[in-house]
Amino acid sequence: MAEMRTHARQTFSSAAKEKWWQRTTVYQVYPRSFADSNGDGIGDIPGITSKLEYLKALGIEVLWLSPIYASPMDDNGYDISDYQAIAPEFGTLEDFDRLVAEARDKGIGVVLDLVVNHTSDEHPWFTEARKSRDNPYRDYYVWRKPAADGGTPNALTSSFGGPAWTLDPATGEYYLHLFSRRQPDLNWENPKVRDEIYAMMNWWIERGIMGFRMDVIDYIGKQVDQSIVTDGPHLHDYLKEMNRRTFGGQDLLTVGETWSATPGSALLYSGTEREELSMIFQFEHVTQQWDPKFGKWRARPFDLVKLKAVLNKWQYALSDDGWNALFWGNHDLPRAVSKYGDQRGFPLESAKMLATVLHLQRGTPFIYQGEEIGMTNATFTSIDQYKDIETLNMHRLHVEAGLSPDDFIRGANENGRDNARTPMQWNAGSNAGFTTGIPWIEVNANHVTINAEAAISDEHSIWNHYRKLIRLRKQHAVIVHGRFQSFLDHHPDVYTYTRTHEGKKLVVVANFSARVIPLDLPNELQVSGECLITNYNRVPQLEERIELQPYEAFAVLASED
Ligand code: TEU
Ligand code: CA
């Protein structure tokens, strides 16, 4: 197995100063919804392997798989009952090894989803821990005595609604779960827990993976008695220890999911000299759109000025050190073209505009499965169509709290996690070519027009636009290393920025509206050069006054005067 890693590393090795993962693009697969090879209606690992040619043609070099491990699937695999076994519905370890080998032969590395803030309540560690207060595994988890009134130890709440504490009657103590009650939090203060996790990580590294995406990794330093959940005092100690004892020095890609990240903490996670992680996902561009009281469950209007302010802040903050992971979507978020674009009026133009704006920024771009063909949010009208535990829990709690069921469904239609989990749309045929069986969640009816087969054969498709962007990043150092500078920050419809590096200037201009926008360009943007990419078949002249078509976006490469 070790020789597999050396080969993989050689495949991806790059110039000394630049990290290979700065010039690549990552594709996220949600295995349950990607490709079903055996007709049970659930995506699986052989299904992913069957689509490697598609992924290679797109040009991606890293595949991030959402969890594939043994799990009761209470949270679709983010509740792990055996970290070193494959969930039977996804396949076998042999299937996994075959995927890694065939992917590597196509120049693609596999990154696994590391979910170590919590396990499933069916993990043997937890079934042991709950047997008695003095069980050897008891303090693998976080237990507290009831409060004086018999209630929960404190007011911590779960992301999936309700208290973060559940009483275990057998031992009369509460256990902590920041997600579902079937996802008990691990106690990272226990060195035995850390030893077990590092051993498991090294076992996967020896199987030839190229890195980890780390689920809610900002939670592992929690100090529950002070109600500290994120950014606990030992968080970075643990990450340095993890780096040192597992992936450190092996040139792997590691990305932390850190909803609590700030530009300051991002530098702690991903600074070059920090020896912690390669990069992090921050979510400020997502949460700044949420309702103060009902969060994502109350639909709110889109505000470009606010979105630009957040994206720009993160570009500036990590200009000289640290590294951004750039994304519009993932398995927890609504579809990009539905959330930020115009899926009804200008689906192609707006999806390509969003891709252009994101992929030409500083950071590593992540494509969520289906984003590259413009897949849209689901069109569910009843709570019965939803499968996601978060949505179902929150529906019950919000309706109990007085939010009208229709309001909740509107919120779920806009921001619910199942929007990203409808099956990948491969063709216009039955079940979009995802399965020959009955899909575990409804296929979007628009697969008859929005599907990979149609996209690949259409030179003007969103898919080909992504393919071009991925190639541009490999070709132009200014896209990887260029200094970011935004312009017209207060313009309500247009996003424009430059990237400058070694005498080159890339000018990116994007109209985020369905209207024709006349625009006076600042001097810095009045350049002549090579148009690297555009979503209209015309070459823009960057003169003093230009006129942008609906959702028009382009990038011009000039010499930095
Ligand atoms: O998500 C962390 C997380 O906080 C999100 O679920 C977020 O709370 C929600 O999407 C916002 O409404 C990670 C995984 O990505 C997610 O799929 C898991 O459910 C969760 O952790 C628990 O493992
Ligand atoms: Ca299957």
Side-chain angles (χ1 to χ4, degrees), residues 199-276:
M200 172 269 290
M201 290 175 70
N202 285 322
W203 187 82
W204 283 110
I205 290 171
E206 278 315 302
R207 287 196 103 83
I209 64 170
M210 288 302 285
F212 294 101
R213 175 266 187 182
M214 300 187 185
D215 192 64
V216 287
I217 203 67
D218 50 346
Y219 282 20
I220 62 173
K222 65 185 78 82
Q223 299 284 311
V224 292
D225 299 320
Q226 290 81 40
S227 291
I228 295 171
V229 169
T230 63
D231 292 310
H234 301 299
L235 169 61
H236 294 283
D237 300 334
Y238 296 151
L239 289 175
K240 285 182 185 306
E241 181 185 64
M242 180 193 282
N243 178 304
R244 194 171 57 251
R245 292 181 52 182
T246 65
F247 54 82
Q250 301 194 54
D251 206 12
L252 299 186
L253 184 157
T254 49
V255 53
E257 181 202 26
T258 51
W259 283 75
S260 64
T262 63
S265 66
L267 286 166
L268 298 179
Y269 287 112
S270 64
T272 312
E273 304 307 321
R274 292 283 300 170
E275 297 187 337
E276 291 189 15

Side-chain angles (χ1 to χ4, degrees), residues 240-485:
K240 285 182 185 306
E241 181 185 64
M242 180 193 282
N243 178 304
R244 194 171 57 251
R245 292 181 52 182
T246 65
F247 54 82
Q250 301 194 54
D251 206 12
L252 299 186
L253 184 157
T254 49
V255 53
E257 181 202 26
T258 51
W259 283 75
S260 64
T262 63
S265 66
L267 286 166
L268 298 179
Y269 287 112
S270 64
T272 312
E273 304 307 321
R274 292 283 300 170
E275 297 187 337
E276 291 189 15
L277 304 178
S278 315
M279 62 190 89
I280 58 141
F281 292 121
Q282 62 82 22
F283 290 83
E284 196 178 344
H285 60 304
V286 172
T287 53
Q288 57 95 10
Q289 308 242 1
W290 288 357
D291 181 277
K293 180 165 187 282
F294 287 104
K296 70 185 199 181
W297 304 104
R298 170 165 283 171
R300 291 184 73 198
F302 172 68
D303 180 331
L304 177 65
V305 172
K306 283 185 181 173
L307 177 67
K308 290 192 293 185
V310 168
L311 294 176
N312 294 347
K313 178 173 87 169
W314 280 90
Q315 286 291 299
Y316 291 127
L318 305 188
S319 280
D320 300 310
D321 195 12
W323 198 253
N324 269 306
L326 307 169
F327 65 100
W328 289 124
N330 65 27
H331 62 291
D332 293 332
L333 297 176
R335 290 279 178 183
V337 72
S338 302
K339 181 72 181 173
Y340 303 102
D342 182 346
Q343 70 174 68
R344 288 177 183 75
F346 294 87
L348 264 72
E349 295 82 355
S350 65
K352 291 178 186 178
M353 177 277 291
L354 290 168
T356 304
V357 161
L358 190 81
H359 281 246
L360 297 180
Q361 291 208 334
R362 181 183 174 86
T364 297
F366 282 66
I367 300 170
Y368 178 66
Q369 70 178 47
E371 174 188 330
E372 78 279 10
I373 59 171
M375 277 179 67
T376 66
N377 279 353
T379 52
F380 296 161
T381 53
S382 157
I383 192 65
D384 300 332
Q385 293 170 281
Y386 284 94
K387 306 294 181 189
D388 174 25
I389 183 171
E390 179 189 63
T391 302
L392 298 173
N393 282 7
M394 285 304 196
H395 175 259
R396 175 172 48 77
L397 292 169
H398 278 68
V399 171
E400 285 168 6
L403 187 70
S404 83
D406 288 350
D407 265 354
F408 184 87
I409 291 291
R410 254 194 300 283
N413 284 163
E414 177 158 327
N415 287 318
R417 303 194 305 179
D418 280 334
N419 282 310
R421 301 176 182 186
T422 60
M424 179 70 185
Q425 295 167 194
W426 293 107
N427 58 46
S430 155
N431 291 319
F434 162 72
T435 180
T436 56
I438 298 167
W440 71 276
I441 188 170
E442 288 174 41
V443 173
N444 195 313
N446 66 18
H447 72 275
V448 291
T449 51
I450 298 174
N451 62 71
E453 190 174 84
I456 294 170
S457 57
D458 169 4
E459 64 172 321
H460 300 299
S461 65
I462 300 164
W463 188 86
N464 272 303
H465 196 86
Y466 270 88
R467 192 163 64 95
K468 195 167 181 181
L469 285 166
I470 292 167
R471 196 171 58 233
L472 287 173
R473 176 170 286 268
K474 294 174 190 170
Q475 288 167 342
H476 297 276
V478 66
I479 296 173
V480 181
H481 302 293
R483 179 158 297 281
F484 174 90
Q485 173 69 51

Side-chain angles (χ1 to χ4, degrees), residues 35-44 89:
D36 170 22
S37 70
N38 63 351
D40 65 358
I42 298 171
D44 47 52
E89 57 264 63

